[in-house]
Amino acid sequence: GVGHRSTHARWRVSTTGPLVLFAGGGTGGHLYPGLAIARALVREQPAVRPFFIGAQRGIERDVLPTTEFPHELLPLHPLYRRQPWNNWRTLLGGVQAWRAISRLTQHDRPAAVVGTGGYAAGVALAWARAHGVPTFLHEPDSHPGLTTRVFSRGARGVFLGFPEASTALTAEEQG
């Protein structure tokens, strides 16, 4: 398959609670808040089943196998702004990731998708939007990145790490 899935022994095997996909990474600033949110969510609602989607080339490749959460690493790439000729990788990886997310959720529709920023979040958020799955965003940076700016409009909630980040989002985008 396209994705690389952890075979970590601590996978949650329950299929009774709501599945919540967490997508984000590339850097620790996008991944670690997602882990903290997932742990807090499980502490408050033990039946919730977090599942992480990340990039094969991001920090999540090394970090997620050491956590208690199931995950899948997909061939995601950033936008190559300084080398636009390399964006074929972004497009191809996006198509492959879309298909992998569709397979992953074929028999287990997620209750929500939480995007924590970075290029690893974009495809999962787009998939959720196309399939009517509620989205929530956490923006850890003082200036919202492209993923947050694109997907904040229509998100059920946008949670900011810095209050000044709200100035970069219009009132309509925050709603």
Side-chain angles (χ1 to χ4, degrees):
V2 168
H4 294 282
R5 188 174 292 181
S6 167
T7 55
H8 202 273
R10 289 183 285 175
W11 270 37
R12 297 183 66 163
V13 295
S14 167
T15 57
T16 57
L19 173 67
V20 177
L21 300 183
F22 284 81
T27 67
H30 294 299
L31 178 61
Y32 288 111
L35 290 168
I37 294 165
R39 289 178 178 131
L41 191 56
V42 169
R43 212 171 23 254
E44 292 296 318
Q45 298 290 326
V48 169
R49 296 176 297 125
F51 189 99
F52 279 77
I53 295 172
Q56 292 170 353
R57 59 194 304 271
I59 189 173
E60 53 272 34
R61 173 189 66 219
D62 298 320
V63 174
L64 286 176
T66 69
T67 72
E68 66 273 29
F69 299 116
H71 64 277
E72 186 148 354
L73 300 177
L74 302 174
L76 297 162
H77 288 264
L79 287 176
Y80 293 98
R81 296 175 183 166
R82 293 190 178 143
Q83 299 173 326
W85 56 88
N86 282 325
N87 281 323
W88 67 269
R89 293 180 178 136
T90 306
L91 293 172
L92 180 60
V95 169
Q96 291 172 327
W98 187 284
R99 289 177 178 160
I101 294 166
S102 293
R103 279 192 303 276
L104 174 73
T105 59
Q106 184 175 2
H107 301 293
D108 197 1
R109 180 180 169 85
V113 173
V114 178
T116 59
Y119 65 87
V123 174
L125 290 166
W127 182 93
R129 183 76 47 89
H131 290 85
V133 174
T135 59
F136 297 86
L137 302 174
H138 175 266
E139 176 54 64
D141 298 327
S142 60
H143 179 74
L146 180 62
T147 301
T148 298
R149 293 193 315 271
V150 168
F151 291 101
S152 61
R153 184 172 294 159
R156 291 273 178 97
V158 179
F159 304 94
L160 305 175
F162 293 90
E164 57 268 25
S166 66
T167 61
L169 302 173
T170 66
E172 183 179 348
E173 288 172 327
Q174 293 180 46

